Amino acid sequence: LTRWSEPQRRYHTPTHLTAVLDHVDTLAEHADDPTAVRLAAWFHDAVFRPDRAENEERSAALAERALPELHVPPARTAEVARLVRLTITHDPGPGDTNGEVLCDADLAILASPPEAYAAYAAAVREEYAFVPDEAFREGRSTVLAQLLDLPALFRTPYGVAHWTDKARTNLTAELELLRA
């Protein structure tokens, strides 16, 4: 929790962690190993420096160091690290139910009501306040376009049914604002 409360964070905070864990609970029946997914949720943004590109890798490496100290079996530790690394692309392979649950839980914010989505987008901008406006618009537009280009934003049956349309509406609206 200390890591999640670091001063450079505006979106990637304990509130985000709690939301992801809540969404994992909603989706848990879809996962092969819900415990590994919950552990991966705890670690997925444990290392977060907005000015660095290796956050997911460093978070996965942290899990690989910390979990054995907690007597988590090697296979589950490896799965947690794999899942954390999967949050780089949010694109789990076919049949990767653990990956589907973690990615859906992490991206569920995209399907928020418009005011909550606007608060999320504003918090992300605050995390990247050091980036000039034009560069941020270009970078954020690229991220949003990549998400919209995924074969499916959500992979779990619940995510597909409950979050896809809302998320696509929010992403499209933000992308239009950035490009205006």
Side-chain angles (χ1 to χ4, degrees), residues 144-164:
L144 298 176
Q146 287 171 341
L147 288 169
L148 286 166
D149 286 343
L150 287 173
L153 269 173
F154 300 102
R155 307 296 176 85
T156 63
Y158 185 94
V160 169
H162 293 93
W163 298 333
T164 298

Side-chain angles (χ1 to χ4, degrees), residues 101-116:
V101 169
L102 181 62
C103 291
D104 279 15
D106 193 29
L107 295 180
I109 184 66
L110 302 179
S112 296
E115 59 281 353

Side-chain angles (χ1 to χ4, degrees), residues 1-6 9 11-21:
L1 286 174
T2 300
R3 287 177 175 278
W4 285 88
S5 299
E6 294 167 336
R9 295 170 182 258
Y11 170 67
H12 295 93
T13 64
T15 301
H16 169 61
L17 172 61
T18 301
V20 171
L21 289 166

Side-chain angles (χ1 to χ4, degrees), residues 34-75:
T35 299
V37 178
R38 285 184 184 94
L39 288 169
W42 273 97
F43 280 94
H44 84 284
D45 285 323
V47 176
F48 179 76
R49 301 287 303 197
D51 58 338
R52 297 194 181 145
E54 70 278 355
N55 291 315
E56 293 86 354
E57 180 56 39
R58 292 180 69 206
S59 294
L62 177 63
E64 289 170 331
R65 287 190 312 272
L67 292 175
E69 292 178 12
L70 298 170
H71 306 289
V72 174

